[in-house]
Amino acid sequence: MERIECQWCQGHSPAGSASCEICGAPLDVRDTVSDSGWRETPRLRDMTEFRFSNSTCQVEGELVPVAELTLGQGDAVYFEHHAMLWKDTQTPITAVNAGGGVKRMLGGMPLMLGKAKGVGRVAFSRDQPGELVVLPLHPGMEVDAREHAFLVASHTVAYSFERIKGLANLLHGGNGMYLDRFVTAGAPGLLILHGYGNVFERMLKPGETILVEPGGFLYKDASVQMNAVKVPIRMQRDPYLAEMVGPGRVGIQSMYVHHSSE
Amino acid sequence: MATYTCQYCRLSSDPTGVSCPNCGAPVDVRAIVSRTGWVQQPPITDLARIQFGQSRLQIEGTQVPVADFDLTADDWIFFSHHVLLWADASAQLAAMDVPSGWSSSNAGMSTMMWRASGPGRVALADNEAGEVIALPLQPAQRTWVREGRFLAANSAVGYDWHDNQIFFETQSPDEPDQQEKHYPLGRYGDIFGAGQVPGLLLLHAPGNTFIRDLAQNETILLQPSALLYRDLTVHVRLFLEYPTTNDFRWRHKHEQRNVWMQARGPGRVAVQSIFTKPESADRIVDYSYGTTIQRW
């Protein structure tokens, strides 16, 4: 059967599909890439549906989109508890320890994560206008996301956290002290983030660098190094920006909280 | 070559393009005008390009749009530090050299302004859902802008601040010896103007933006915190409106009042659809010169 490749996740869907079966990206529109090389995250159409494992996800709304999951037998997802919008009464929920103990608490990150198991329905959303970033993860992938950006992930994605290295990062990086790290081992998985405002992605070549406001950083491949660099602009206290060094993907959000005011 | 006048930036433009090269407004859409005469400022089309000086910028995104500048070697822009999203390593970032007479610490502008010089790219975004408004300024053209709405301007644009001199004072019944002063339009406004050559001013407006060209002596009442920018030919003053009520409790009459900004033409006013809630409902005991009081 003839297949069409998704430009966002490289998954294959039947020819003639309006949206990717794996990530929901529209297949009948051109990629939007700026002159400077940033690619806009595909805007998922209202009511777009896609599959993962034995489950489906339907995206509803466009201003503050909702990810509504219908979980199949044997599937589960985990999430930060305050991102849950509604659930069926009979959908089982458990709380799991995220690990990290006091370190995570000091970093402002949740100690416990919610876990919903199939069969059942549960929906998630955040609290500000933005976009869902659907990242199907192939086995062996590692993605880092800013804290509190993650909306939901499938149970085949291992969750940990990464301490941002370097004293300057700790003091000035603006992303707290930790990044969420999502890793797939033997099986593929699904990770959904919520980016505030609009979300853009850029693929950095090996050694290519770009300076990003730390509050605008959303996610990156684990292969991308993130360092805090002082910008010498002749002020009493020079500001810091996040220097991202390739290779790998970097995602940014256009609405952010400046780290000085956080 | 055929030309047309863009109704949003009021400059001659190329009708064959997709968007106005001066302000980014779409060329191929009909104006959306409400029955009451407000023209909806069309959002700048995703990935539209705007030319200024030797440089250009591209608007990216639709919810919280990003202004992505591609600066040539001789061009520079200035902006408030908190709107920087990303920058090429080649772009030169520096603290803004404050022009003589610049009293930004007294005005609504950020006291921490940055300057980005080319060659290189730098991208800016505010942190509220809304629209980027591009205002090309012709030589000697000046415009008033609500404090906090400035996103960026190029080197041809000068800045000054203006004491709005519009206020009212309230008195709380719980503390009759205390009066509180309120500035519904902000205490200061920003004045931007081009000098000898045209310049480009970018604003970020929360929500949607609507514009209206007032005729000579035409007036309209606006929510003070919704006023985004206006031509300097438009005069504004405070307008206090007390509706009739069947509640005879004296205090409740104050809670029903409306605090308006009356704009009088000629000239253009622009409003944003997101505005802040009115301030105190306490009794107004004093107000700025020229205030009109309407009791129904």
Side-chain angles (χ1 to χ4, degrees):
Chain A
M1 188 173 69
E2 195 180 350
R3 309 286 284 179
I4 183 170
E5 186 182 83
C6 172
Q7 297 299 302
W8 175 250
C9 73
Q10 281 73 52
H12 289 83
S13 301
S17 302
S19 59
C20 175
E21 289 185 341
I22 297 166
C23 71
L27 294 174
D28 52 358
V29 296
R30 288 194 323 177
D31 263 8
T32 43
V33 182
S34 73
D35 293 344
S36 52
W38 288 94
R39 177 186 193 184
E40 295 185 5
T41 298
R43 287 200 71 81
L44 305 184
R45 291 194 185 98
D46 196 12
M47 302 296 165
T48 291
E49 206 169 6
F50 55 93
R51 294 191 61 80
F52 64 100
S53 189
N54 296 318
S55 307
T56 58
C57 174
Q58 188 169 32
V59 176
E60 300 158 4
E62 294 174 333
L63 194 60
V64 185
V66 177
E68 183 181 294
L69 307 182
T70 303
L71 298 173
Q73 185 69 46
D75 277 353
V77 292
Y78 58 91
F79 50 87
E80 290 184 14
H81 75 280
H82 57 269
M84 191 159 51
L85 181 64
W86 65 263
K87 66 182 268 301
D88 279 343
T89 310
Q90 68 274 18
T91 305
I93 294 280
T94 55
V96 294
N97 194 319
V102 175
K103 287 181 180 177
R104 286 182 63 85
M105 194 168 66
L106 291 174
M109 298 175 78
L111 289 171
M112 305 294 286
L113 295 175
K115 187 173 183 180
K117 294 179 183 173
V119 177
R121 294 186 302 178
V122 59
F124 305 92
S125 67
R126 288 281 179 179
D127 55 354
Q128 289 281 342
E131 295 183 299
L132 294 184
V133 184
V134 181
L135 298 172
L137 302 182
H138 306 301
M141 287 182 77
E142 294 186 8
V143 172
D144 297 332
R146 75 173 295 130
E147 56 186 334
H148 307 305
F150 125 78
L151 191 70
V152 63
S154 66
H155 71 289
T156 52
V157 179
Y159 174 79
S160 64
F161 56 94
E162 176 74 4
R163 179 171 171 265
I164 307 175
K165 295 187 176 67
L167 184 62
N169 267 320
L170 289 175
L171 294 176
H172 304 289
N175 290 293
M177 292 185 286
Y178 300 97
L179 297 177
D180 287 327
R181 171 158 288 184
F182 301 92
V183 182
T184 46
L190 178 72
L191 170 64
I192 302 180
L193 309 177
H194 178 97
Y196 293 127
N198 291 107
V199 178
F200 306 89
E201 183 188 276
R202 185 158 162 172
M203 179 66 80
L204 296 179
K205 300 186 188 96
E208 186 181 3
T209 64
I210 190 158
L211 300 174
V212 175
E213 152 63 36
F217 164 73
L218 183 63
Y219 66 92
K220 68 178 182 66
D221 284 333
S223 57
V224 174
Q225 289 179 42
M226 181 178 181
N227 310 302
V229 293
K230 186 186 276 190
V231 183
I233 64 166
R234 297 181 286 116
M235 295 179 61
Q236 282 185 339
R237 187 179 168 194
D238 286 334
Y240 282 79
L241 292 177
E243 181 190 57
M244 318 298 288
V245 184
R249 295 175 298 176
V250 174
I252 59 172
Q253 56 188 2
S254 64
M255 189 162 83
Y256 56 93
V257 179
H258 187 258
H259 58 264
S260 294
S261 58
E262 274 183 323
Chain B
M1 187 180 73
T3 61
Y4 89 112
T5 301
C6 172
Q7 64 175 315
Y8 306 106
C9 69
R10 297 174 281 191
L11 295 178
S12 293
S13 192
D14 175 10
T16 62
V18 174
S19 59
C20 172
N22 302 306
C23 73
V27 170
D28 55 351
V29 295
R30 288 173 52 191
I32 301 172
V33 186
S34 73
R35 292 186 190 281
T36 55
W38 287 95
V39 179
Q40 185 176 348
Q41 172 88 40
I44 298 177
T45 309
D46 192 16
L47 301 184
R49 299 182 183 90
I50 298 172
Q51 187 74 35
F52 66 97
Q54 299 301 311
S55 305
R56 69 179 183 178
L57 70 98
Q58 191 171 32
I59 301 296
E60 300 154 9
T62 51
Q63 298 210 76
V64 183
V66 176
D68 181 349
F69 290 84
D70 184 4
L71 299 170
T72 59
D74 297 327
D75 270 352
W76 56 271
I77 58 169
F78 62 98
F79 53 93
S80 177
H81 72 291
H82 71 273
V83 299
L84 177 66
L85 181 61
W86 63 264
D88 273 349
S90 64
Q92 298 295 309
L93 298 175
M96 179 80 178
D97 290 328
V98 178
S100 61
W102 184 318
S103 302
S104 60
S105 60
N106 291 328
M109 293 276 281
S110 166
T111 55
M112 194 171 162
M113 300 293 288
W114 284 18
R115 168 181 162 151
S117 306
R121 291 181 181 274
V122 59
L124 314 175
D126 210 328
N127 61 353
E128 286 180 280
E131 297 171 6
V132 170
I133 308 295
L135 297 177
L137 298 177
Q138 293 303 292
Q141 182 186 353
R142 299 170 78 215
T143 190
W144 177 97
V145 174
R146 176 176 197 80
E147 61 184 353
R149 298 275 60 92
F150 167 70
L151 187 68
N154 77 331
S155 56
V157 174
Y159 164 75
D160 199 357
W161 59 277
H162 164 77
D163 187 341
N164 290 323
Q165 296 184 326
I166 290 175
F167 64 87
F168 61 90
E169 291 187 41
T170 55
Q171 188 177 58
S172 166
D174 303 326
E175 298 173 290
D177 55 338
Q178 298 278 329
Q179 292 188 3
E180 189 179 359
K181 208 165 190 174
H182 305 269
Y183 299 93
L185 201 56
R187 183 163 186 179
Y188 300 98
D190 297 328
I191 306 287
F192 295 95
Q196 302 295 318
V197 295
L200 179 68
L201 170 65
L202 290 188
L203 312 179
H204 177 93
N208 295 112
T209 299
F210 302 87
I211 57 177
R212 185 163 181 153
D213 292 321
L214 297 175
Q216 182 81 34
N217 287 325
E218 184 184 3
T219 63
I220 193 161
L221 300 180
L222 307 169
Q223 275 287 349
S225 60
L227 183 59
L228 177 64
Y229 71 87
R230 64 177 167 87
D231 289 340
L232 288 183
T233 53
V234 175
H235 293 279
V236 291
R237 63 180 182 176
L238 197 62
F239 190 102
L240 304 176
E241 182 184 48
Y242 292 86
T244 54
T245 173
N246 56 5
D247 187 338
F248 293 102
R249 284 171 293 180
W250 188 61
R251 183 174 175 174
H252 284 212
K253 287 192 174 185
H254 304 299
E255 294 170 357
Q256 302 303 319
R257 63 140 187 267
N258 296 312
V259 177
W260 295 108
M261 193 59 43
Q262 186 186 56
R264 180 182 296 274
R268 174 169 293 186
V269 291
V271 296
Q272 60 192 40
S273 61
I274 292 180
F275 56 90
T276 55
K277 293 174 183 172
E279 294 181 84
S280 163
D282 289 335
R283 186 167 72 98
I284 294 176
V285 293
D286 196 10
Y287 36 76
S288 48
Y289 177 76
T291 298
T292 300
I293 297 177
Q294 171 80 64
R295 296 184 191 276
W296 294 100

